[in-house]
């Protein structure tokens, strides 16, 4: 495998928005781009990524969403609407756990669903949970852990250093960031190239 094929391009203003989304970026790379181009650096990695993608797509510089503090809890019942100011509270977690089961988690896809369906009821949210939760989406903050887990499942006895070499190679490529057996080629010849 040619080690230079698929190496990610520099993050600059001329990048195509779809190309941008097809590569893995460290949060510090995203923050550096935002600072150089007058975009806000606040928020999670997913929020910063979304802000940059919108900038590439429209040229628009979007202000970060303002999170208001204070009690936003309304009544929680099956026939009550979620509302447009939904917050993941302990009371709501307990409610969902009672109706969905002990495996319930406020995972990122479900949180997005809740916030994008304010007119839906709690009963509709419960019905949507298994579909949203089971869509295979991995938040960017968990890609490394998922990759190394898959790496070790396929390569028992390999070291964390080897897993990291392969991860750094995989994230430099366009497309999926999930472990692929072909990533082991990164260990041959230029073993430590992917640490730079």
């Amino acid at each position: 495998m040619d080690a230079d094929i698929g190496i990610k391009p520099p993050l600059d203003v001329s990048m195509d928005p779809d190309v941008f989304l097809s590569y893995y970026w460290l949060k510090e790379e995203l923050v550096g781009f935002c600072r150089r181009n007058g975009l806000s650096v606040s928020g999670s990695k997913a929020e910063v990524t979304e802000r940059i993608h919108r900038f590439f797509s429209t040229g628009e510089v979007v202000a970060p969403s303002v999170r208001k503090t204070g009690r936003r809890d309304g009544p929680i019942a099956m026939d009550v609407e979620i509302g447009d100011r939904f917050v993941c509270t302990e009371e709501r977690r307990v409610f969902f756990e009672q109706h969905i089961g002990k495996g319930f988690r406020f995972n990122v896809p479900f949180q997005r669903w809740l916030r994008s369906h304010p007119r839906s009821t709690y009963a509709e949210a419960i019905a949507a949970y298994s579909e949203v939760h089971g869509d295979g989406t991995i938040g960017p903050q968990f890609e490394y852990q998922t990759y190394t887990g898959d790496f070790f499942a396929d390569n028992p006895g390999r070291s964390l250093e080897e897993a990291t070499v392969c991860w750094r190679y995989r994230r430099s490529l366009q497309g999926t960031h999930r472990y692929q057996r072909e990533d082991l080629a990164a260990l041959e010849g230029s073993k430590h190239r992917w640490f730079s």
Side-chain angles (χ1 to χ4, degrees):
M1 178 184 294
D2 184 342
D4 292 328
I5 293 176
I7 303 302
K8 71 181 179 184
L11 185 55
D12 64 35
V13 293
S14 64
M15 182 167 281
D16 178 90
D18 293 331
V19 171
F20 167 69
L21 288 181
S22 70
Y23 284 99
Y24 179 90
W25 304 99
L26 298 172
K27 186 168 183 185
E28 46 265 32
E29 292 176 293
L30 301 174
V31 166
F33 176 85
C34 288
R35 287 193 173 128
R36 289 190 303 275
N37 293 284
L39 280 72
S40 170
V41 299
S42 69
S44 67
K45 181 178 178 182
E47 290 170 323
V48 174
T49 299
E50 194 173 304
R51 194 173 300 133
I52 294 172
H53 182 256
R54 188 161 183 181
F55 175 74
F56 284 145
S57 300
T58 66
E60 184 180 354
V61 175
V62 179
S65 58
V66 177
R67 293 186 175 154
K68 298 177 182 177
T69 58
R71 184 167 173 84
R72 290 176 247 183
D73 301 344
I76 302 173
M78 296 295 265
D79 60 344
V80 171
E81 287 186 353
I82 295 163
D84 55 5
R85 297 176 72 189
F86 184 87
V87 177
C88 302
T89 63
E90 179 64 13
E91 184 181 10
R92 288 186 172 113
R93 184 196 63 74
V94 169
F95 175 84
F96 281 121
E97 193 173 82
Q98 289 171 343
H99 294 280
I100 293 171
K102 290 289 184 188
F104 170 76
R105 298 288 179 270
F106 273 125
N107 59 48
V108 174
F110 188 55
Q111 288 182 49
R112 286 185 183 140
W113 188 94
L114 290 166
R115 291 185 178 121
S116 64
H117 293 82
R119 302 285 72 89
S120 295
T121 64
Y122 280 89
E124 291 168 324
I126 289 166
Y129 178 77
S130 61
E131 180 181 334
V132 173
H133 178 73
D135 70 357
T137 301
I138 300 170
Q141 69 273 33
F142 303 117
E143 287 182 327
Y144 174 72
Q145 290 86 344
T146 301
Y147 183 94
T148 54
D150 292 346
F151 176 91
F152 289 125
D154 193 47
N155 301 283
R158 292 271 192 180
S159 70
L160 180 58
E161 179 182 356
E162 290 173 311
T164 304
V165 168
C166 291
W167 160 246
R168 291 190 176 180
Y169 169 72
R170 172 53 54 189
R171 77 175 193 204
S172 73
L173 301 176
Q174 188 172 13
T176 183
H177 302 127
R178 296 294 298 262
Y179 166 76
Q180 307 289 316
R181 185 166 282 177
E182 64 200 42
D183 297 349
L184 295 173
L187 299 174
E188 298 170 12
S190 56
K191 182 174 182 178
H192 297 287
R193 180 178 189 273
W194 303 105
F195 280 108
S196 58

